[in-house]
Amino acid sequence: MSSPPLRAVIVPVTPLQQNCTLLWCTETMKGAFCDPGGDLDRLKSAAAEHGVTVEKIILTHGHIDHCGSAGILAEELGVPIEGPHEDDLFWISRLEDDGHRYGVVGKPFQSDRYLVDGDTLTVGNLTLNVRHCPGHTPGHIVFHHAESKLALVGDVLFQGSIGRTDFPRGNHQQLLDSITQRLWPMGDDTHFVPGHGPMSTFGHERASNPFVADRVLAKA
């Protein structure tokens, strides 16, 4: 039986228990870290354990628990950073201050490639689609590998909840629109890795999520 084209493991990092995802192309064993917010020794050990050569770092948004250590890791590994959307530059610029506030290492960085809706990026021989999903932050993006029916959604959507919108430039209606217009069309059978907590499927959330279930939004 042939192995699936994409494999992934989730490594929770920082005191905020943020889901960093190590994903890789099984054909080439080249991979990427999505949202390496901290605990870099644990992340590098995970890559070594699975025999993955990390070729880039990809970021969903600019919050400290998702990208505080991204620049440090990129420098250590000699790899580029792709993402988030440049509307999150103001978050990235304040990583050091936010790090002191949350007790997490934070270092501002320059991304090698800021992403916009409709972009694609590669990991080994895999191609991931990029969707701009503002609301939690203005520059939040989501990565989707259609063939694997897998999405990395950061803090847009969680099992049973949605992202906070009370941060600077957060927008509740924008977040709802991002979920219903950009995530749901990926398909009910798509599994997603949220920024915190357990995985779920879009179909499960459409049926049961108290914020964005179809029946809830139909009453709004």
Side-chain angles (χ1 to χ4, degrees):
M1 183 176 163
S2 63
S3 60
L6 179 154
R7 283 199 60 202
V9 293
I10 298 169
V11 185
V13 296
T14 82
L16 300 167
Q17 289 294 284
Q18 192 278 125
N19 288 332
C20 175
T21 303
L22 170 65
L23 66 144
W24 67 93
C25 164
T26 56
E27 192 175 338
T28 64
M29 294 307 291
K30 291 180 178 177
F33 282 118
C34 179
D35 292 355
D39 298 328
L40 301 188
D41 287 343
R42 288 184 59 214
L43 297 182
K44 287 183 284 189
S45 293
E49 179 188 339
H50 293 282
V52 176
T53 300
V54 176
E55 63 174 2
K56 65 181 62 174
I57 290 166
I58 61 176
L59 301 174
T60 61
H61 65 294
H63 281 167
I64 181 75
D65 52 329
H66 291 256
C67 69
S69 291
I72 299 168
L73 184 59
E75 202 169 297
E76 288 182 6
L77 298 179
V79 299
I81 298 173
E82 298 191 22
H85 185 287
E86 64 183 2
D87 281 355
D88 268 14
L89 281 171
F90 77 101
W91 279 113
I92 294 168
S93 71
R94 54 184 269 185
L95 283 172
E96 198 165 346
D97 291 340
D98 285 344
H100 295 314
R101 188 173 296 119
Y102 291 100
V104 177
V105 174
K107 182 181 177 184
F109 59 88
Q110 282 289 331
S111 178
D112 295 274
R113 181 188 176 207
Y114 296 102
L115 298 168
V116 299
D117 190 66
D119 276 348
T120 61
L121 63 82
T122 58
V123 177
N125 293 337
L126 306 170
T127 298
L128 277 65
N129 298 305
V130 175
R131 300 312 312 259
H132 182 208
C133 293
H136 177 65
T137 69
H140 200 303
I141 57 174
V142 163
F143 303 107
H144 179 218
H145 188 245
E147 187 180 352
S148 300
K149 298 186 185 300
L150 179 71
L152 308 175
V153 304
D155 287 353
V156 173
L157 181 69
F158 303 101
Q159 184 187 83
S161 190
I162 58 174
R164 289 174 57 178
T165 55
D166 56 341
F167 293 118
R169 294 182 62 192
N171 185 301
H172 183 72
Q173 187 57 51
Q174 230 180 11
L175 183 70
L176 297 181
D177 291 345
S178 291
I179 293 168
T180 58
Q181 296 172 18
R182 301 210 159 148
L183 298 189
W184 290 171
M186 294 177 189
D188 286 355
D189 56 349
T190 295
H191 288 77
F192 69 90
V193 180
H196 306 264
M199 292 180 66
S200 183
T201 66
F202 293 146
H204 180 78
E205 300 311 306
R206 289 187 72 166
S208 63
N209 190 296
F211 298 93
V212 288
D214 292 351
R215 58 182 169 71
V216 173
L217 295 180
K219 295 174 186 172

